[in-house]
Amino acid sequence: MTDPTPTHEPLKFAYWVPNVSGGLVISSVEQRTDWGYDYNVELAQTAERVGFEYALSQVRYASSYGAAQQHESTSISLALLLATEKLKVISAIHPGIWHPAVLAKFINTADQFSHGRAAVNVVSGWSKDEYTDLGLEWLEHDERYERAAEFIQVLRGLWTQETFSFHGKYYDITDFTLRPFPYEVPGRPHPEIFQGGNSTAARFNGGAFSDWYFSNGKDFDGFTEQYDDVTRVAAEHGRRTRFGLNGFVIQRDSRAEAEAQLREIIAHADGGAVEGFRRSVQEAGNATTDKKGMWADSSFEDLVQYNDGFRTQLFGDAEQIAERIIAYKKRGVDLFLLGFLHFQEELERFGETVIPIVRELEADLARTGDPIEVAAR
């Protein structure tokens, strides 16, 4: 088993952009959030002020499980980039809906306008209806990841080579040049490429091709198992992949209050919507031969937060949450992708109270190696 040495590089924090209506839990409990432009601009400006480095814009096309309204991910990402000064904004996109050269050109423009702050999250796609109802080709699970692997290679090639050619199963590019290139950032060869998933195919892509591997919410053992697998693949390809972990934050004055809030969220879950989501995603997750696909083992309670964010257990007061975050850092997490019930006030509170404690604990870790005894809460 891999034994990660805690990096002295500070943890990075990202948040889910609420560009989709309905909030991040499938529940009738109150969620003070908004999918509109003005709210999202204010939220992005707050996030960069309190220490968040990244934001991820969600990709949705068909209305589902409460997400009745959606702003397109690359468009709102560009809007947020232009409204901020430091925040990096990751656009989630689907191969098969985008051609990689068209996306590369869009990101070049956004990256130039934002002075190097655009990034992408390549989502292989799990919703069959979003393809077939639009008359687009639907591929089976492993084929979707083969296409995503080619998609990532084409993006990287177009961003880094003056004249690029690629002849694959899904994309055929001959002597193509995109100008302008992405904005030149010292130490960054091209806009960052994120990719997630749980399956063997997803892990292979994460290790072999992506800059970052996003994990759905996981407990300690679940994350370590993915970390070991992806890191092995990356080493076999002479690469290093960094790791992001999804988590839903419930920060209250005590662990008991946070757990009471969690119980309320689950008690008011929209059962029909959760079950509909479960049927869709677990059909996709179980389509893999080894049953390691996304959501393949998620319970009803897990799916109330549709990226398994409750599993990461970022519940409690500021110190408890910070300690658990450091425990994950020791296991190899480089970035936390976070969701909140009441986005504006809870994200701001997290940045002002949790992130400073994390930085103090990181400083202790850098000085003494491993001074913190963290219980698995």
Side-chain angles (χ1 to χ4, degrees):
M1 184 177 106
T2 306
D3 183 17
T5 300
T7 175
H8 295 327
E9 182 179 350
L11 277 165
K12 302 178 187 303
F13 292 94
Y15 73 93
W16 287 94
V17 175
N19 57 298
V20 174
S21 65
L24 290 186
V25 296
I26 311 173
S27 174
S28 61
V29 71
E30 182 187 14
Q31 298 183 70
R32 292 193 291 277
T33 184
D34 192 298
W35 63 286
Y37 170 78
D38 291 338
Y39 182 90
N40 271 289
V41 166
E42 183 180 0
L43 183 63
Q45 293 170 344
T46 298
E48 71 172 3
R49 175 175 59 80
V50 301
F52 283 76
E53 191 170 336
Y54 293 86
L56 172 63
S57 297
Q58 304 172 67
V59 57
R60 296 285 184 274
Y61 292 94
S63 297
S64 60
Y65 54 91
Q69 309 288 343
Q70 316 98 23
H71 287 307
E72 193 275 327
S73 59
T74 60
S75 302
I76 195 166
S77 293
L78 178 56
L80 298 182
L81 287 168
L82 297 180
T84 54
E85 298 178 356
K86 298 178 293 183
L87 191 70
K88 299 172 186 176
V89 186
I90 311 161
S91 302
I93 61 87
H94 283 133
I97 293 178
W98 282 92
H99 187 283
V102 177
L103 178 70
K105 186 67 173 176
F106 181 97
I107 296 298
N108 284 0
T109 301
D111 203 55
Q112 286 284 336
F113 288 1
S114 65
H115 292 181
R117 294 186 287 121
V120 296
N121 181 34
V122 178
V123 180
S124 297
W126 55 264
S127 177
K128 184 175 182 178
D129 290 348
E130 285 195 329
Y131 284 81
T132 58
D133 289 357
L134 294 173
L136 299 172
E137 182 182 17
W138 174 251
L139 303 176
E140 292 307 316
H141 182 276
D142 287 358
E143 293 177 305
R144 296 199 299 275
Y145 279 93
E146 289 175 7
R147 178 173 61 187
E150 289 192 9
F151 193 98
I152 291 169
Q153 291 173 80
V154 172
L155 283 181
R156 183 173 281 116
L158 289 169
W159 283 337
T160 59
Q161 297 182 33
E162 184 70 32
T163 303
F164 176 69
S165 295
F166 181 91
H167 305 293
K169 180 178 178 181
Y170 299 99
Y171 302 107
D172 191 45
I173 314 291
T174 302
D175 297 337
F176 206 82
T177 301
L178 284 183
R179 283 293 188 179
F181 274 168
Y183 189 82
E184 188 172 342
V185 176
R188 187 197 73 160
H190 52 73
E192 292 168 290
I193 301 171
F194 293 74
Q195 178 257 321
N198 285 347
S199 67
T200 298
R203 297 176 191 202
F204 179 83
N205 280 7
F209 302 113
S210 306
D211 302 315
W212 289 87
Y213 176 83
F214 267 141
S215 175
N216 260 17
K218 292 289 180 184
D219 61 16
F220 291 146
D221 290 343
F223 173 77
T224 295
E225 190 262 339
Q226 288 193 342
Y227 178 94
D228 289 345
D229 211 7
V230 175
T231 299
R232 174 188 55 78
V233 173
E236 290 170 354
H237 288 78
R239 307 182 68 253
R240 174 182 176 247
T241 299
R242 290 183 287 177
F243 290 82
L245 176 64
N246 180 59
F248 191 85
V249 176
I250 304 179
Q251 182 182 351
R252 299 294 184 266
D253 291 337
S254 69
R255 175 78 184 211
E257 289 180 58
E259 290 177 342
Q261 178 68 84
L262 175 63
R263 289 193 297 271
E264 183 184 8
I265 292 169
I266 294 172
H268 290 86
D270 182 336
V274 175
E275 285 299 334
F277 179 53
R278 185 216 288 266
R279 285 192 297 272
S280 295
V281 299
Q282 293 191 331
E283 177 183 353
N286 286 320
T288 59
T289 55
D290 54 12
K291 308 301 182 187
K292 287 185 178 179
M294 294 276 278
W295 303 288
D297 62 348
S298 299
S299 68
F300 178 94
E301 290 77 12
D302 294 331
L303 294 173
V304 174
Q305 202 293 303
Y306 47 78
N307 282 92
D308 287 345
F310 298 152
R311 286 187 171 189
T312 309
Q313 295 186 44
L314 300 182
F315 311 142
D317 62 24
E319 185 173 357
Q320 290 169 324
I321 293 171
E323 288 178 347
R324 189 164 179 89
I325 284 170
I326 289 294
Y328 274 110
K329 177 175 181 170
K330 293 177 183 178
R331 288 161 170 81
V333 174
D334 300 288
L335 175 151
F336 278 87
L337 173 59
L338 302 177
F340 303 88
L341 195 64
H342 309 309
F343 257 93
Q344 181 67 246
E345 58 260 49
E346 293 189 359
L347 178 150
E348 184 172 27
R349 183 186 184 191
F350 180 94
E352 291 177 344
T353 61
V354 177
I355 292 180
I357 298 173
V358 169
R359 299 302 179 221
E360 291 174 4
L361 296 177
E362 286 179 318
D364 289 342
L365 200 59
R367 281 193 298 269
T368 62
D370 192 357
I372 312 161
E373 293 296 330
V374 182
R377 299 177 186 273

